[in-house]
Amino acid sequence: MDSRGSTKSNDKEGTILQIERTEEQDDGDLLRSLALFDFSIPLVEKKPGTLRLFYNNCNGLEITNLIMDVLSRKRDKRANTYLKEIANPTKLDRLLRQVKVWQVDMVMLAETCTDWNQTVVRRAVRHITQTYDQTGCWMGSTSQVNVGNYLKPGGTGTFATGYCNGRILEKGNDPWKMGRWTYILIGRDINEKKILFITGYRTGNRTGEVGINTTWSQQVAMIAKTQRETTPYESYFQDLELWLEKYRTPNMEVVICMDANEQWSQKAGVARFAQSNGLVNVNEELNLSHTHPNVANIDKSTTIDYCLCSPGVLDCVEYASPVPY
């Protein structure tokens, strides 16, 4: 998403994206699901004074093997050389390479499935990132529950690059320590116009028995310690709305990209949250195609990921489209 406003950036060449399919490839479920999406609008040239945002429900960064390599090389006194010998790029590598081509300023990732609490994890992410961006700044979020693994269900990550990285006024994550969102606040000055970028992941509504280390189980364990009578699904928007109160100021614009795990309707929690906080649904306002294939029916599509923003941001949006990543 590109938005005009007080932000400025260097004028760089844009990129045109195109999908070419063969008959053999069309036989796969993946490409049949991709066919549900409209990629006919190419990525436009990035203009001066615009800010480009990329949101992805990434379902993990695939860095566990790299972390084990970091640890073994550290033991062998070769900690500074491991990156030069990577044979297979991680999903994080591929993602950062692509957003660099797309000249993205703010990267927002839901369901990173990464234990950001561990130093070795943050170090691995930092080293990978420096290959593609020397100045970018990460903010990761995960629950305080220890699952005994670097691969940890849930969590989010927000990455500010270029102009955004040079204008960070504040950054942080879910103050309830459940790993449900991260945020980065950018602006020229605390008293001038600011934009609050929030990346969120709301676990699906679970019934019956669930796995011991799932996002749902992590959050249930933490909620139980507070003696609150609520579920992770219900408490997500309750807590997010409560947290947002301190940012309701006249000079504040808000952008929230999230996996809400819910279809949009008048009674939906995501729709009620947007209405009560004066936010608009970019997906609907700009008539974007659905964000997901339907798990039960591959020939149908659905939307559970949303970009919500304040009306002032929507007024400045000049381009928005799903991209085949």
Side-chain angles (χ1 to χ4, degrees):
M1 182 175 72
D2 286 344
S3 77
R4 298 183 298 274
S6 60
T7 58
K8 294 183 179 179
S9 64
N10 295 328
D11 187 13
K12 300 178 181 178
E13 292 184 0
T15 303
I16 300 299
L17 301 179
Q18 181 176 331
I19 293 181
E20 296 183 358
R21 299 193 181 98
T22 65
E23 291 183 359
E24 291 79 12
Q25 288 174 319
D26 281 337
D27 291 336
D29 285 346
L30 175 61
L31 287 174
R32 284 205 300 273
S33 66
L34 283 175
L36 297 167
F37 300 91
D38 181 10
F39 299 132
S40 60
I41 305 174
L43 188 64
V44 300
E45 181 177 356
K46 186 177 179 183
K47 300 177 182 178
T50 62
L51 183 151
R52 180 164 285 173
L53 177 155
F54 172 73
Y55 165 78
N56 183 241
N57 187 346
C58 64
N59 192 25
L61 301 178
E62 295 181 352
I63 63 173
T64 301
N65 289 339
L66 175 62
I67 293 171
M68 300 308 296
D69 191 43
V70 172
L71 294 175
S72 65
R73 291 174 186 275
K74 185 176 180 181
R75 287 193 298 268
D76 297 339
K77 309 296 183 183
R78 294 184 294 140
N80 295 324
T81 63
Y82 75 90
L83 272 180
K84 299 176 182 178
E85 301 174 18
I86 297 176
N88 298 312
T90 65
K91 184 187 290 185
L92 180 58
D93 276 284
R94 299 193 297 273
L95 189 151
L96 290 174
R97 184 185 300 118
Q98 189 62 59
V99 298
K100 184 176 182 180
V101 171
W102 287 340
Q103 303 166 38
V104 173
D105 300 288
M106 188 69 71
V107 181
M108 309 173 78
L109 305 177
E111 208 166 355
T112 52
C113 300
T114 299
D115 192 350
W116 296 93
N117 294 330
Q118 301 200 44
T119 302
V120 67
V121 171
R122 297 194 299 272
R123 182 177 177 223
V125 170
R126 182 173 66 251
H127 277 286
I128 293 172
T129 303
Q130 287 175 345
T131 305
Y132 306 95
D133 190 303
Q134 294 293 318
T135 62
C137 175
W138 276 101
M139 191 66 231
S141 180
T142 188
S143 82
Q144 291 297 303
V145 175
N146 184 3
V147 301
N149 199 324
Y150 301 118
L151 178 64
K152 185 177 180 180
T156 67
T158 306
F159 179 58
T161 73
Y163 170 85
C164 289
N165 183 51
R167 293 290 184 271
I168 295 176
L169 299 173
E170 182 184 337
K171 61 186 174 111
N173 52 36
D174 174 9
W176 283 267
K177 306 299 182 183
M178 286 192 251
R180 297 171 294 180
W181 64 82
T182 49
Y183 72 94
I184 293 180
L185 175 65
I186 69 166
R188 295 182 183 277
D189 183 84
I190 197 67
N191 297 315
E192 296 182 5
K193 182 72 75 174
K194 302 179 288 293
I195 306 180
L196 178 65
F197 293 94
I198 303 169
T199 308
Y201 171 61
R202 180 197 193 197
T203 182
N205 195 15
R206 301 287 183 256
T207 57
E209 187 175 351
V210 295
I212 189 172
N213 290 330
T214 60
T215 309
W216 178 273
S217 296
Q218 294 173 47
Q219 295 181 15
V220 164
M222 297 195 69
I223 291 173
K225 293 180 180 179
T226 66
Q227 299 182 334
R228 295 170 61 189
E229 295 184 2
T230 185
T231 68
Y233 193 71
E234 295 169 342
S235 65
Y236 180 85
F237 285 122
Q238 296 170 359
D239 293 347
L240 183 57
E241 184 163 357
L242 180 63
W243 173 79
L244 267 177
E245 286 184 2
K246 67 176 181 177
Y247 295 102
R248 294 193 181 100
T249 60
N251 61 347
M252 182 72 70
E253 302 288 357
V254 177
V255 176
I256 305 178
C257 290
M258 72 169 79
D259 177 1
N261 271 309
E262 183 178 31
Q263 290 270 30
W264 188 272
S265 70
Q266 274 191 324
K267 295 182 179 180
V270 62
R272 295 198 306 270
F273 167 79
Q275 183 177 12
S276 64
N277 288 276
L279 302 174
V280 292
N281 180 359
V282 175
N283 303 58
E284 285 200 335
E285 295 291 335
L286 300 181
N287 196 31
L288 299 181
S289 61
H290 293 290
T291 66
H292 279 68
N294 189 305
V295 176
N297 187 340
I298 198 67
D299 294 321
K300 292 185 178 180
S301 53
T302 185
T303 294
I304 59 174
D305 290 88
Y306 301 94
C307 180
L308 309 178
C309 69
S310 48
V313 172
L314 183 66
D315 290 342
C316 294
V317 174
E318 61 179 27
Y319 168 87
S321 176
V323 289
Y325 179 74

Short mmCIF file of all heavy atoms in Angstrom, two decimals, residues 233-282:
data_model
loop_
_atom_site.label_atom_id
_atom_site.label_comp_id
_atom_site.label_asym_id
_atom_site.label_seq_id
_atom_site.Cartn_x
_atom_site.Cartn_y
_atom_site.Cartn_z
N TYR A 233 -9.59 -15.68 21.96
CA TYR A 233 -10.32 -15.13 20.82
C TYR A 233 -11.09 -13.87 21.21
O TYR A 233 -11.09 -12.88 20.48
CB TYR A 233 -11.27 -16.20 20.28
CG TYR A 233 -11.88 -15.91 18.93
CD1 TYR A 233 -11.09 -15.96 17.78
CD2 TYR A 233 -13.24 -15.62 18.80
CE1 TYR A 233 -11.65 -15.73 16.53
CE2 TYR A 233 -13.80 -15.41 17.55
CZ TYR A 233 -13.00 -15.45 16.42
OH TYR A 233 -13.56 -15.22 15.18
N GLU A 234 -11.75 -13.90 22.37
CA GLU A 234 -12.54 -12.76 22.84
C GLU A 234 -11.66 -11.62 23.35
O GLU A 234 -11.95 -10.44 23.14
CB GLU A 234 -13.50 -13.21 23.95
CG GLU A 234 -14.56 -14.20 23.50
CD GLU A 234 -15.29 -14.81 24.67
OE1 GLU A 234 -14.76 -14.72 25.81
OE2 GLU A 234 -16.37 -15.39 24.47
N SER A 235 -10.59 -11.97 24.05
CA SER A 235 -9.78 -10.95 24.71
C SER A 235 -8.93 -10.14 23.74
O SER A 235 -8.47 -9.04 24.07
CB SER A 235 -8.86 -11.59 25.76
OG SER A 235 -7.92 -12.46 25.15
N TYR A 236 -8.72 -10.66 22.54
CA TYR A 236 -7.83 -9.98 21.60
C TYR A 236 -8.29 -8.55 21.33
O TYR A 236 -7.54 -7.59 21.54
CB TYR A 236 -7.76 -10.76 20.28
CG TYR A 236 -6.86 -10.10 19.26
CD1 TYR A 236 -5.49 -10.34 19.26
CD2 TYR A 236 -7.37 -9.23 18.29
CE1 TYR A 236 -4.65 -9.73 18.34
CE2 TYR A 236 -6.55 -8.62 17.37
CZ TYR A 236 -5.19 -8.87 17.40
OH TYR A 236 -4.37 -8.24 16.48
N PHE A 237 -9.52 -8.37 20.88
CA PHE A 237 -9.99 -7.04 20.56
C PHE A 237 -10.29 -6.22 21.81
O PHE A 237 -10.19 -4.99 21.80
CB PHE A 237 -11.22 -7.10 19.64
CG PHE A 237 -10.88 -7.46 18.22
CD1 PHE A 237 -11.44 -8.57 17.62
CD2 PHE A 237 -9.98 -6.69 17.50
CE1 PHE A 237 -11.11 -8.90 16.32
CE2 PHE A 237 -9.65 -7.01 16.19
CZ PHE A 237 -10.22 -8.12 15.60
N GLN A 238 -10.67 -6.89 22.90
CA GLN A 238 -10.87 -6.18 24.16
C GLN A 238 -9.58 -5.49 24.60
O GLN A 238 -9.59 -4.29 24.92
CB GLN A 238 -11.33 -7.16 25.25
CG GLN A 238 -12.67 -7.82 25.02
CD GLN A 238 -12.95 -8.96 26.00
OE1 GLN A 238 -12.12 -9.28 26.87
NE2 GLN A 238 -14.11 -9.58 25.87
N ASP A 239 -8.49 -6.23 24.57
CA ASP A 239 -7.21 -5.68 25.02
C ASP A 239 -6.63 -4.69 24.02
O ASP A 239 -6.06 -3.66 24.42
CB ASP A 239 -6.22 -6.82 25.26
CG ASP A 239 -6.63 -7.71 26.44
OD1 ASP A 239 -7.52 -7.30 27.19
OD2 ASP A 239 -6.05 -8.81 26.59
N LEU A 240 -6.77 -4.98 22.74
CA LEU A 240 -6.23 -4.07 21.72
C LEU A 240 -6.93 -2.72 21.79
O LEU A 240 -6.29 -1.67 21.69
CB LEU A 240 -6.41 -4.69 20.33
CG LEU A 240 -5.83 -3.90 19.15
CD1 LEU A 240 -4.34 -3.63 19.33
CD2 LEU A 240 -6.09 -4.63 17.82
N GLU A 241 -8.24 -2.72 21.99
CA GLU A 241 -8.99 -1.46 22.09
C GLU A 241 -8.59 -0.69 23.34
O GLU A 241 -8.43 0.54 23.30
CB GLU A 241 -10.49 -1.73 22.09
CG GLU A 241 -11.33 -0.47 22.09
CD GLU A 241 -12.77 -0.73 21.68
OE1 GLU A 241 -13.11 -1.89 21.34
OE2 GLU A 241 -13.56 0.23 21.71
N LEU A 242 -8.42 -1.39 24.45
CA LEU A 242 -8.00 -0.75 25.68
C LEU A 242 -6.61 -0.13 25.53
O LEU A 242 -6.37 1.01 25.96
CB LEU A 242 -7.99 -1.78 26.82
CG LEU A 242 -7.56 -1.28 28.20
CD1 LEU A 242 -8.54 -0.23 28.71
CD2 LEU A 242 -7.49 -2.44 29.19
N TRP A 243 -5.71 -0.84 24.88
CA TRP A 243 -4.34 -0.35 24.68
C TRP A 243 -4.31 0.87 23.75
O TRP A 243 -3.53 1.79 23.94
CB TRP A 243 -3.49 -1.48 24.10
CG TRP A 243 -2.11 -1.07 23.70
CD1 TRP A 243 -1.03 -0.87 24.52
CD2 TRP A 243 -1.65 -0.79 22.38
NE1 TRP A 243 0.06 -0.50 23.77
CE2 TRP A 243 -0.28 -0.45 22.46
CE3 TRP A 243 -2.27 -0.83 21.12
CZ2 TRP A 243 0.47 -0.12 21.33
CZ3 TRP A 243 -1.52 -0.51 20.00
CH2 TRP A 243 -0.16 -0.17 20.12
N LEU A 244 -5.21 0.89 22.77
CA LEU A 244 -5.23 1.97 21.78
C LEU A 244 -5.69 3.31 22.35
O LEU A 244 -5.47 4.35 21.73
CB LEU A 244 -6.15 1.60 20.61
CG LEU A 244 -5.52 0.91 19.40
CD1 LEU A 244 -6.60 0.56 18.39
CD2 LEU A 244 -4.47 1.81 18.76
N GLU A 245 -6.31 3.29 23.51
CA GLU A 245 -6.88 4.53 24.08
C GLU A 245 -5.83 5.64 24.20
O GLU A 245 -6.13 6.80 23.92
CB GLU A 245 -7.50 4.24 25.44
CG GLU A 245 -8.82 3.50 25.37
CD GLU A 245 -9.45 3.33 26.75
OE1 GLU A 245 -8.85 3.83 27.73
OE2 GLU A 245 -10.52 2.71 26.83
N LYS A 246 -4.61 5.30 24.59
CA LYS A 246 -3.60 6.34 24.80
C LYS A 246 -3.12 6.96 23.50
O LYS A 246 -2.44 7.99 23.50
CB LYS A 246 -2.42 5.79 25.59
CG LYS A 246 -1.60 4.74 24.86
CD LYS A 246 -0.39 4.33 25.71
CE LYS A 246 0.47 3.29 25.00
NZ LYS A 246 1.68 2.95 25.80
N TYR A 247 -3.45 6.32 22.36
CA TYR A 247 -3.03 6.84 21.06
C TYR A 247 -4.15 7.59 20.34
O TYR A 247 -3.97 7.99 19.19
CB TYR A 247 -2.52 5.70 20.18
CG TYR A 247 -1.27 5.06 20.72
CD1 TYR A 247 -1.33 3.84 21.39
CD2 TYR A 247 -0.03 5.68 20.59
CE1 TYR A 247 -0.18 3.25 21.91
CE2 TYR A 247 1.12 5.10 21.10
CZ TYR A 247 1.04 3.88 21.75
OH TYR A 247 2.18 3.30 22.27
N ARG A 248 -5.27 7.79 21.00
CA ARG A 248 -6.38 8.52 20.38
C ARG A 248 -6.16 10.02 20.56
O ARG A 248 -6.71 10.65 21.46
CB ARG A 248 -7.71 8.09 20.99
CG ARG A 248 -8.07 6.64 20.68
CD ARG A 248 -9.53 6.35 21.02
NE ARG A 248 -9.86 4.96 20.74
CZ ARG A 248 -9.93 4.01 21.65
NH1 ARG A 248 -9.67 4.29 22.92
NH2 ARG A 248 -10.24 2.77 21.34
N THR A 249 -5.35 10.59 19.70
CA THR A 249 -5.05 12.02 19.71
C THR A 249 -5.35 12.61 18.34
O THR A 249 -5.33 11.89 17.33
CB THR A 249 -3.58 12.27 20.08
OG1 THR A 249 -2.74 11.64 19.11
CG2 THR A 249 -3.26 11.72 21.46
N PRO A 250 -5.61 13.91 18.26
CA PRO A 250 -5.99 14.52 16.98
C PRO A 250 -4.94 14.37 15.88
O PRO A 250 -5.29 14.36 14.69
CB PRO A 250 -6.19 16.00 17.35
CG PRO A 250 -6.50 15.98 18.81
CD PRO A 250 -5.68 14.86 19.38
N ASN A 251 -3.68 14.29 16.24
CA ASN A 251 -2.63 14.23 15.22
C ASN A 251 -2.11 12.81 14.98
O ASN A 251 -1.03 12.63 14.46
CB ASN A 251 -1.47 15.14 15.61
CG ASN A 251 -0.85 14.74 16.94
OD1 ASN A 251 -1.42 13.93 17.68
ND2 ASN A 251 0.32 15.28 17.24
N MET A 252 -2.92 11.81 15.35
CA MET A 252 -2.50 10.41 15.22
C MET A 252 -3.29 9.70 14.12
O MET A 252 -4.52 9.70 14.12
CB MET A 252 -2.69 9.66 16.53
CG MET A 252 -2.25 8.20 16.49
SD MET A 252 -0.44 8.04 16.44
CE MET A 252 -0.04 8.57 18.11
N GLU A 253 -2.57 9.11 13.16
CA GLU A 253 -3.18 8.22 12.17
C GLU A 253 -2.80 6.79 12.53
O GLU A 253 -1.73 6.54 13.09
CB GLU A 253 -2.68 8.55 10.76
CG GLU A 253 -2.94 9.98 10.31
CD GLU A 253 -4.40 10.27 10.00
OE1 GLU A 253 -5.23 9.32 10.08
OE2 GLU A 253 -4.73 11.41 9.68
N VAL A 254 -3.68 5.84 12.21
CA VAL A 254 -3.47 4.45 12.60
C VAL A 254 -3.60 3.53 11.40
O VAL A 254 -4.51 3.69 10.57
CB VAL A 254 -4.48 4.03 13.69
CG1 VAL A 254 -4.32 2.55 14.06
CG2 VAL A 254 -4.36 4.90 14.93
N VAL A 255 -2.68 2.57 11.31
CA VAL A 255 -2.76 1.50 10.31
C VAL A 255 -2.59 0.18 11.05
O VAL A 255 -1.59 -0.02 11.74
CB VAL A 255 -1.66 1.63 9.24
CG1 VAL A 255 -1.73 0.44 8.28
CG2 VAL A 255 -1.80 2.94 8.48
N ILE A 256 -3.57 -0.72 10.93
CA ILE A 256 -3.49 -2.03 11.58
C ILE A 256 -3.63 -3.11 10.52
O ILE A 256 -4.63 -3.19 9.82
CB ILE A 256 -4.61 -2.22 12.63
CG1 ILE A 256 -4.60 -1.10 13.66
CG2 ILE A 256 -4.45 -3.57 13.32
CD1 ILE A 256 -5.70 -1.23 14.70
N CYS A 257 -2.59 -3.93 10.37
CA CYS A 257 -2.66 -5.09 9.49
C CYS A 257 -2.68 -6.32 10.38
O CYS A 257 -1.80 -6.49 11.23
CB CYS A 257 -1.47 -5.13 8.55
SG CYS A 257 -1.50 -3.84 7.28
N MET A 258 -3.66 -7.18 10.19
CA MET A 258 -3.80 -8.31 11.11
C MET A 258 -4.44 -9.52 10.47
O MET A 258 -5.20 -9.41 9.50
CB MET A 258 -4.65 -7.90 12.30
CG MET A 258 -6.13 -7.73 11.97
SD MET A 258 -7.17 -7.54 13.45
CE MET A 258 -6.87 -5.83 13.82
N ASP A 259 -4.09 -10.66 11.03
CA ASP A 259 -4.81 -11.90 10.78
C ASP A 259 -5.87 -11.99 11.87
O ASP A 259 -5.57 -12.29 13.02
CB ASP A 259 -3.84 -13.08 10.85
CG ASP A 259 -4.55 -14.42 10.67
OD1 ASP A 259 -5.78 -14.43 10.47
OD2 ASP A 259 -3.87 -15.46 10.75
N ALA A 260 -7.12 -11.70 11.51
CA ALA A 260 -8.21 -11.67 12.49
C ALA A 260 -8.88 -13.03 12.64
O ALA A 260 -9.69 -13.22 13.56
CB ALA A 260 -9.25 -10.62 12.09
N ASN A 261 -8.60 -13.98 11.74
CA ASN A 261 -9.23 -15.30 11.78
C ASN A 261 -10.75 -15.20 11.89
O ASN A 261 -11.38 -15.92 12.69
CB ASN A 261 -8.66 -16.12 12.94
CG ASN A 261 -7.43 -16.91 12.52
OD1 ASN A 261 -7.46 -17.62 11.52
ND2 ASN A 261 -6.34 -16.75 13.26
N GLU A 262 -11.32 -14.30 11.08
CA GLU A 262 -12.77 -14.10 11.13
C GLU A 262 -13.23 -13.42 9.85
O GLU A 262 -12.59 -12.49 9.36
CB GLU A 262 -13.12 -13.23 12.34
CG GLU A 262 -14.59 -13.01 12.54
CD GLU A 262 -14.87 -12.19 13.79
OE1 GLU A 262 -14.02 -11.34 14.15
OE2 GLU A 262 -15.93 -12.38 14.41
N GLN A 263 -14.35 -13.88 9.32
CA GLN A 263 -14.95 -13.24 8.16
C GLN A 263 -15.60 -11.91 8.56
O GLN A 263 -16.10 -11.77 9.68
CB GLN A 263 -16.01 -14.15 7.55
CG GLN A 263 -15.46 -15.38 6.88
CD GLN A 263 -15.15 -15.14 5.40
OE1 GLN A 263 -14.83 -14.02 5.00
NE2 GLN A 263 -15.22 -16.18 4.62
N TRP A 264 -15.58 -10.95 7.66
CA TRP A 264 -16.15 -9.63 7.92
C TRP A 264 -17.67 -9.67 7.82
O TRP A 264 -18.24 -10.12 6.84
CB TRP A 264 -15.59 -8.62 6.92
CG TRP A 264 -15.96 -7.20 7.21
CD1 TRP A 264 -17.08 -6.54 6.80
CD2 TRP A 264 -15.21 -6.26 7.98
NE1 TRP A 264 -17.07 -5.25 7.26
CE2 TRP A 264 -15.94 -5.05 7.98
CE3 TRP A 264 -13.99 -6.32 8.66
CZ2 TRP A 264 -15.47 -3.91 8.64
CZ3 TRP A 264 -13.54 -5.19 9.31
CH2 TRP A 264 -14.27 -4.01 9.30
N SER A 265 -18.34 -9.20 8.87
CA SER A 265 -19.79 -9.03 8.88
C SER A 265 -20.13 -8.02 9.97
O SER A 265 -19.26 -7.66 10.78
CB SER A 265 -20.50 -10.37 9.16
OG SER A 265 -20.29 -10.78 10.51
N GLN A 266 -21.35 -7.56 10.00
CA GLN A 266 -21.73 -6.55 10.99
C GLN A 266 -21.52 -7.03 12.42
O GLN A 266 -21.15 -6.26 13.30
CB GLN A 266 -23.20 -6.15 10.81
CG GLN A 266 -23.41 -5.05 9.79
CD GLN A 266 -24.83 -4.51 9.84
OE1 GLN A 266 -25.78 -5.26 10.07
NE2 GLN A 266 -24.98 -3.22 9.62
N LYS A 267 -21.74 -8.32 12.64
CA LYS A 267 -21.62 -8.87 13.99
C LYS A 267 -20.22 -9.36 14.32
O LYS A 267 -19.94 -9.72 15.46
CB LYS A 267 -22.62 -10.03 14.16
CG LYS A 267 -24.08 -9.60 14.07
CD LYS A 267 -25.01 -10.77 14.30
CE LYS A 267 -26.47 -10.35 14.24
NZ LYS A 267 -27.38 -11.50 14.46
N ALA A 268 -19.34 -9.38 13.35
CA ALA A 268 -17.98 -9.89 13.57
C ALA A 268 -17.21 -8.99 14.53
O ALA A 268 -17.37 -7.77 14.53
CB ALA A 268 -17.24 -10.01 12.24
N GLY A 269 -16.36 -9.61 15.34
CA GLY A 269 -15.56 -8.85 16.30
C GLY A 269 -14.66 -7.84 15.62
O GLY A 269 -14.48 -6.73 16.10
N VAL A 270 -14.08 -8.22 14.47
CA VAL A 270 -13.18 -7.31 13.77
C VAL A 270 -13.92 -6.09 13.25
O VAL A 270 -13.40 -4.96 13.28
CB VAL A 270 -12.44 -8.05 12.62
CG1 VAL A 270 -13.40 -8.59 11.56
CG2 VAL A 270 -11.40 -7.14 11.98
N ALA A 271 -15.16 -6.27 12.79
CA ALA A 271 -15.96 -5.15 12.29
C ALA A 271 -16.39 -4.23 13.43
O ALA A 271 -16.36 -3.00 13.30
CB ALA A 271 -17.18 -5.66 11.53
N ARG A 272 -16.78 -4.81 14.56
CA ARG A 272 -17.19 -4.00 15.72
C ARG A 272 -16.00 -3.21 16.25
O ARG A 272 -16.13 -2.04 16.64
CB ARG A 272 -17.76 -4.89 16.82
CG ARG A 272 -19.05 -5.59 16.42
CD ARG A 272 -19.80 -6.09 17.65
NE ARG A 272 -18.96 -6.91 18.51
CZ ARG A 272 -18.84 -8.23 18.39
NH1 ARG A 272 -19.51 -8.88 17.44
NH2 ARG A 272 -18.06 -8.91 19.21
N PHE A 273 -14.82 -3.84 16.26
CA PHE A 273 -13.62 -3.16 16.70
C PHE A 273 -13.31 -1.97 15.80
O PHE A 273 -12.99 -0.87 16.28
CB PHE A 273 -12.44 -4.14 16.70
CG PHE A 273 -11.10 -3.49 16.86
CD1 PHE A 273 -10.64 -3.09 18.10
CD2 PHE A 273 -10.29 -3.26 15.74
CE1 PHE A 273 -9.40 -2.47 18.24
CE2 PHE A 273 -9.05 -2.66 15.88
CZ PHE A 273 -8.61 -2.26 17.12
N ALA A 274 -13.39 -2.17 14.49
CA ALA A 274 -13.10 -1.09 13.54
C ALA A 274 -14.08 0.07 13.73
O ALA A 274 -13.67 1.24 13.78
CB ALA A 274 -13.17 -1.62 12.11
N GLN A 275 -15.34 -0.24 13.88
CA GLN A 275 -16.36 0.80 14.02
C GLN A 275 -16.16 1.60 15.31
O GLN A 275 -16.23 2.84 15.30
CB GLN A 275 -17.75 0.18 14.00
CG GLN A 275 -18.87 1.21 14.07
CD GLN A 275 -20.25 0.57 13.98
OE1 GLN A 275 -20.38 -0.65 14.08
NE2 GLN A 275 -21.27 1.38 13.77
N SER A 276 -15.90 0.93 16.41
CA SER A 276 -15.77 1.62 17.69
C SER A 276 -14.49 2.44 17.77
O SER A 276 -14.39 3.35 18.61
CB SER A 276 -15.81 0.61 18.85
OG SER A 276 -14.71 -0.27 18.78
N ASN A 277 -13.53 2.17 16.89
CA ASN A 277 -12.27 2.92 16.92
C ASN A 277 -12.10 3.84 15.71
O ASN A 277 -11.01 4.36 15.47
CB ASN A 277 -11.09 1.94 16.99
CG ASN A 277 -10.99 1.27 18.36
OD1 ASN A 277 -10.41 1.81 19.29
ND2 ASN A 277 -11.57 0.08 18.47
N GLY A 278 -13.18 4.03 14.97
CA GLY A 278 -13.16 4.96 13.85
C GLY A 278 -12.24 4.54 12.72
O GLY A 278 -11.64 5.38 12.04
N LEU A 279 -12.12 3.22 12.49
CA LEU A 279 -11.23 2.71 11.45
C LEU A 279 -12.05 2.19 10.27
O LEU A 279 -13.19 1.75 10.44
CB LEU A 279 -10.36 1.58 12.00
CG LEU A 279 -9.48 1.94 13.21
CD1 LEU A 279 -8.77 0.69 13.73
CD2 LEU A 279 -8.47 3.03 12.86
N VAL A 280 -11.46 2.23 9.08
CA VAL A 280 -12.12 1.72 7.89
C VAL A 280 -11.39 0.49 7.39
O VAL A 280 -10.20 0.31 7.62
CB VAL A 280 -12.19 2.80 6.78
CG1 VAL A 280 -13.10 3.92 7.19
CG2 VAL A 280 -10.79 3.33 6.46
N ASN A 281 -12.11 -0.36 6.69
CA ASN A 281 -11.57 -1.60 6.16
C ASN A 281 -11.07 -1.36 4.73
O ASN A 281 -11.85 -1.20 3.80
CB ASN A 281 -12.67 -2.67 6.16
CG ASN A 281 -12.20 -4.01 5.61
OD1 ASN A 281 -11.06 -4.15 5.20
ND2 ASN A 281 -13.09 -4.98 5.60
N VAL A 282 -9.75 -1.30 4.57
CA VAL A 282 -9.16 -1.04 3.26
C VAL A 282 -9.55 -2.12 2.27
O VAL A 282 -9.78 -1.85 1.09
CB VAL A 282 -7.63 -0.94 3.37
CG1 VAL A 282 -6.99 -0.79 1.99
CG2 VAL A 282 -7.24 0.25 4.25
#
